[in-house]
Every structure is written in structure tokens, then in C-alpha cells.
């Protein structure tokens, strides 16, 4: 299913590029540019496929970073330009339907005014998404009201990061700066909800860096696996985690302080890449595994404990609410990486971004700190802070 989504996305980019050429340029150079975009897009796609199947574990990080950035700017420029052209065509059509018809002209029908604006704006926006927005972090703060919250847990502050995806698009130096920024804000603990250790050549160093920050948080750093830790080999990652002070939770729980318990669940092998639904028996297995993982995590937790659940897949929010867990922190979706007015442009998950409230339970889908591809627009990486409050 994921490959289908990617194929449709790339096919749409080629179609939008051809639409842009048709309506923005004169006929003399259209055919040459048609051929250029089709050949260039298909060549880039073939390189991507070859890199994924053959070179993904061997290509130098610097080359991957440069190619990924060029590819992202190239594709997103076409996507944004095509979207602008279609929007302009819709506006023009509405205007002509509601005003006196103009004399027919094939040139006027095809060409849009200020044609150079569209590709220039698209290129500038793509460069912004690649070079600026994806490299910034915003801080978001949320109050979490909890019934019967012990007085000593009032204003307890939890920071969350997720989906760092260390490697070509997120360096160890950037990780260290991110952790220092969070430590300077003095939350009581830091929660990391998976997909951080995503490059076997630097995972051991990354774990040491995270470990070096454990003492900078009063109650330490807490972590659960994501699907990319499984891709990279959980046994080797856990062997390094054993040497650290990091609290890593795999279908288990630990008491933090007073009556506060942190729970963490693993990433289910049957989890869908996007949303569940329509997969028949596979969905049933996924739902069953989620329930089993959470039951194991809750096994030694007192019935009256204040629980915070860490899970990589956002559909654990439903399971947390079913068990009356006040707060479930998740990631995985990257918030879609492209948004508009605070909403994901492509909501491919049941829960894609932000806060979910189910009865008295809250769930949060972190937009991530790293990227699937080096581009973010309207979906800035974040540091999320959750302040526990007594329900009034």
C-alpha cells in the first residue's frame, strides 16, 4: 500500500509538471520541456529506486544528503507550481463564468498572466521547506488536566521528541544541540517515542550522546522503539542501551516518582504503514497485538496510578483511552510533513497530527524532528511539552 501511495504521488508530480508547461509557456518550447520533465522525473525516480534497493546501506551520507535535497526541491517545485496553476485556472474559470465572455483566443486560453511568477514562487517555497523550515524546531506547550492528580505531581513537566531519524538528514551534532535546548528548558523528564536510532554507522554514538544527557533531567530520559529501530536491528540497539541510564520500555512500566508511572510499548510487527482499516485479518492481528502489548505494560501498575504511555504508532491512543490512561504520547506520522493552517495536507493516518481527546484521556501525535525526505512546509519540527494539572 505504501508503494502505491508513493507511485500515485510521483505520478501526480509528473502530471502537474506537464500541466504547468502547457499553460505557462508558448508552444515553441513546450515539446522540449515536456520531454525534459518526463525524462528528468523518471530518471530521478529510477535513481531513488536503485538507491533504496541497492545502495541504501552503502552510499556515503554526504551524497545521500545532497541528492535528497536536490530531489526534494526539484519534485516539490513541480508539485507547488502545478498546484498554483490549477488554482489559478479554477479562479480564471469562475471569473469568466460570472463575467461577460471575452473574444476567443487560443493563446489566452492556455497562458496565465504573470507566468514566470508560478515557477519562481514554487522554487522559493521549496528551498524554504528544504533549507529553513525542516531545520527549525518550535516549542508547543499543553496543559493536561488529570483527575485525582497527587499534589506533588502538579505542574510536572514532560518534554517529547520523536522521529529524529539520525543519518543523512539529521546529524549527531544537531541531536546534541536539540537535547541541550530541551535540557535548558528544565522539564522533569524527556520522552522519546521511537525512530531515533536509524543509522547503524552512528547508532552507538547516538546512544552515548542521549545517555550523556540523562542526568540533566531530574527524572531522566524515557524511550520506546519505533519501526525504524526494528529495521536497523533492535538486538544491537538494545545491547548499547543496556550500558546506559536511558529508561527504555518494551511492553513494560517503571515508577517515576510518587504515583506516576511511565509505560512503553513496542512497535507491533503487523502495524500498517498508514492507517489500519481494510486489511482484514492483518488488522485483527494488529489490534490484538496492541491490546496484548499494553496489557503487559500495565501488569505491575497500581490501579490508581497516574500513567503516561509511550508508543510509536498513533493508534495506541485508542488503547490508552480504553484503559483510562490520562496521556498517551506517539509519533510515526511526521505530521504528514506538509501542512496548511495547522492541518496535514495529506492525512493518511487515523491520527496524523496534534492532540486527540477521548473522554478524559489525551493522546498526542508528535510531528517529528526528522524527515522521510528533506522537506517540511507548514509542519515545523517540534519540541512538545506537557504540564500535568489537577482536574478542576
Amino acid at each position: 500500500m505504501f508503494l502505491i501511495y508513493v507511485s500515485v504521488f510521483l505520478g501526480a508530480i509528473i502530471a502537474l509538471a506537464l500541466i504547468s508547461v502547457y499553460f505557462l509557456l508558448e508552444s515553441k518550447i513546450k515539446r522540449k520541456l515536456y520531454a525534459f520533465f518526463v525524462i528528468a522525473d523518471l530518471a530521478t525516480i529510477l535513481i531513488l529506486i536503485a538507491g533504496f534497493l541497492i545502495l541504501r546501506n552503502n552510499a556515503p551520507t554526504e551524497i545521500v544528503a545532497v541528492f535528497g535535497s536536490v530531489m526534494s526541491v526539484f519534485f516539490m517545485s513541480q508539485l507547488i507550481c502545478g498546484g498554483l496553476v490549477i488554482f489559478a485556472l479554477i479562479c480564471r474559470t469562475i471569473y469568466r463564468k460570472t463575467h461577460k465572455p471575452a473574444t476567443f483566443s487560443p493563446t489566452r486560453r492556455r497562458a496565465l498572466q504573470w507566468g514566470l511568477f508560478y515557477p519562481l514562487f514554487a522554487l522559493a517555497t521549496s528551498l524554504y521547506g528544504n533549507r529553513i523550515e525542516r531545520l527549525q524546531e518550535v516549542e508547543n506547550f499543553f496543559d493536561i488536566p488529570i483527575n485525582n492528580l497527587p499534589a506533588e505531581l502538579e505542574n510536572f513537566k514532560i518534554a517529547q521528541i520523536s522521529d529524529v531519524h539520525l543519518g543523512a538528514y539529521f546529524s549527531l551534532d544537531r541531536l546534541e544541540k536539540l537535547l541541550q535546548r530541551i535540557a535548558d528548558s528544565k522539564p522533569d523528564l524527556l520522552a522519546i517515542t521511537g525512530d531515533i536510532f536509524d543509522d547503524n554507522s552512528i547508532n552507538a554514538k547516538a546512544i552515548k550522546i542521549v545517555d550523556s544527557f540523562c542526568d540533566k533531567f531530574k527524572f531522566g530520559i524515557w524511550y520506546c522503539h519505533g519501526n525504524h529501530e526494528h529495521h536497523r536491528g533492535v538486538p544491537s540497539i538494545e545491547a548499547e542501551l543496556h550500558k546506559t541510564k536511558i529508561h527504555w520500555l518494551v511492553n513494560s512500566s517503571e515508577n517515576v516518582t510518587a504515583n506516576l508511572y511511565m509505560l512503553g510499548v513496542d512497535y507491533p510487527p503487523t502495524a500498517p504503514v498508514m492507517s489500519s482499516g481494510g486489511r482484514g485479518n492483518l488488522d485483527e492481528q494488529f489490534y490484538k497485538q496492541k491490546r496484548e502489548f499494553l496489557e503487559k505494560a500495565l501488569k505491575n501498575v497500581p490501579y490508581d496510578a497516574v500513567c503516561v504511555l509511550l508508543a510509536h504508532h498513533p493508534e495506541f491512543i485508542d488503547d490508552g483511552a480504553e484503559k483510562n490512561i490520562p496521556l498517551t504520547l506517539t509519533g510515526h506520522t511526521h505530521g504528514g510533513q506538509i501542512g496548511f493552517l495547522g492541518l496535514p495536507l495529506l492525512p493518511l493516518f487515523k491520527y496524523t497530527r496534534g492532540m486527540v481527546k477521548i473522554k478524559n484521556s489525551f493522546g498526542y501525535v508528535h510531528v517529528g524532528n526528522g524527515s522521510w525526505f528533506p522537506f517540511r512546509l507548514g509542519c515545523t519540527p517540534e519540541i512538545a511539552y506537557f504540564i500535568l494539572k489537577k482536574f478542576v
Side-chain angles (χ1 to χ4, degrees), residues 71-373:
M71 174 212 70
S72 294
V73 171
F74 181 57
F75 278 148
M76 294 310 299
S77 293
Q78 295 175 68
L79 184 66
I80 294 169
C81 184
L84 287 171
V85 167
I86 289 176
F87 178 73
L89 289 171
I90 292 172
C91 292
R92 188 177 72 175
T93 300
I94 293 172
Y95 178 82
R96 289 183 177 177
K97 291 289 185 183
T98 56
H99 290 73
K100 186 177 179 179
T103 305
F104 174 76
S105 167
T107 303
R108 282 188 72 247
R109 170 161 293 211
R110 290 178 186 151
L112 295 175
Q113 286 185 319
W114 308 102
L116 193 59
F117 163 80
Y118 299 92
L120 288 179
F121 179 84
L123 178 61
T125 304
S126 298
L127 287 169
Y128 166 79
N130 173 257
R131 305 308 304 164
I132 298 176
E133 183 166 331
R134 79 171 179 92
L135 300 175
Q136 297 177 333
E137 266 94 17
V138 297
E139 295 181 330
N140 293 316
F141 294 83
F142 305 92
D143 289 342
I144 306 297
I146 298 176
N147 285 321
N148 303 315
L149 184 74
E152 57 267 44
L153 293 179
E154 182 78 19
N155 294 317
F156 192 94
K157 186 177 179 183
I158 299 170
Q160 182 198 9
I161 58 174
S162 190
D163 297 86
V164 169
H165 291 288
L166 285 163
Y169 308 134
F170 206 111
S171 67
L172 292 174
D173 180 62
R174 187 178 167 197
L175 172 65
E176 194 163 6
K177 289 177 180 176
L178 174 63
L179 293 172
Q180 186 59 58
R181 178 178 173 181
I182 300 168
D184 291 342
S185 297
K186 300 192 181 304
D188 291 291
L189 64 79
L190 170 63
I192 303 175
T193 46
D195 278 11
I196 175 173
F197 307 120
D198 197 17
D199 187 331
N200 287 335
S201 67
I202 59 173
N203 281 343
K205 292 179 182 177
I207 291 170
K208 288 180 181 177
I209 289 173
V210 176
D211 182 44
S212 71
F213 278 84
C214 285
D215 292 335
K216 296 187 179 184
F217 300 93
K218 185 176 180 181
F219 296 104
I221 296 177
W222 302 73
Y223 157 84
C224 70
H225 292 318
N227 55 310
H228 277 251
E229 277 81 18
H230 284 278
H231 295 334
R232 301 304 174 190
V234 160
S236 61
I237 291 171
E238 290 186 349
E240 294 297 327
L241 289 170
H242 269 297
K243 306 172 187 176
T244 72
K245 299 176 185 175
I246 300 168
H247 301 268
W248 48 284
L249 301 170
V250 181
N251 305 330
S252 59
S253 65
E254 284 187 42
N255 177 239
V256 180
T257 183
N259 205 29
L260 176 64
Y261 278 74
M262 296 293 291
L263 286 63
V265 289
D266 203 354
Y267 189 86
T270 56
V273 177
M274 302 297 182
S275 279
S276 62
R279 301 187 312 151
N281 187 50
L282 276 177
D283 276 344
E284 288 302 318
Q285 292 179 45
F286 172 52
Y287 302 145
K288 181 181 178 182
Q289 285 178 337
K290 286 196 298 151
R291 289 192 295 268
E292 290 175 349
F293 287 4
L294 185 52
E295 288 289 350
K296 289 179 181 178
L298 283 165
K299 187 174 182 181
N300 297 313
V301 177
Y303 75 94
D304 60 345
V306 176
C307 296
V308 176
L309 171 62
L310 306 185
H312 187 63
H313 201 288
E315 290 191 35
F316 271 101
I317 289 173
D318 292 333
D319 303 87
E322 189 177 307
K323 295 294 183 180
N324 297 313
I325 292 174
L327 179 61
T328 300
L329 303 180
T330 72
H332 186 55
T333 70
H334 296 209
Q337 284 195 209
I338 304 172
F340 183 69
L341 299 177
L343 299 172
L345 199 62
L346 299 171
L348 300 175
F349 299 85
K350 182 177 182 180
Y351 305 121
T352 302
R353 177 177 180 178
M355 191 67 75
V356 178
K357 188 175 187 297
I358 304 175
K359 296 183 180 177
N360 291 325
S361 295
F362 293 86
Y364 192 73
V365 186
H366 196 282
V367 302
N369 299 90
S371 305
W372 289 311
F373 57 98

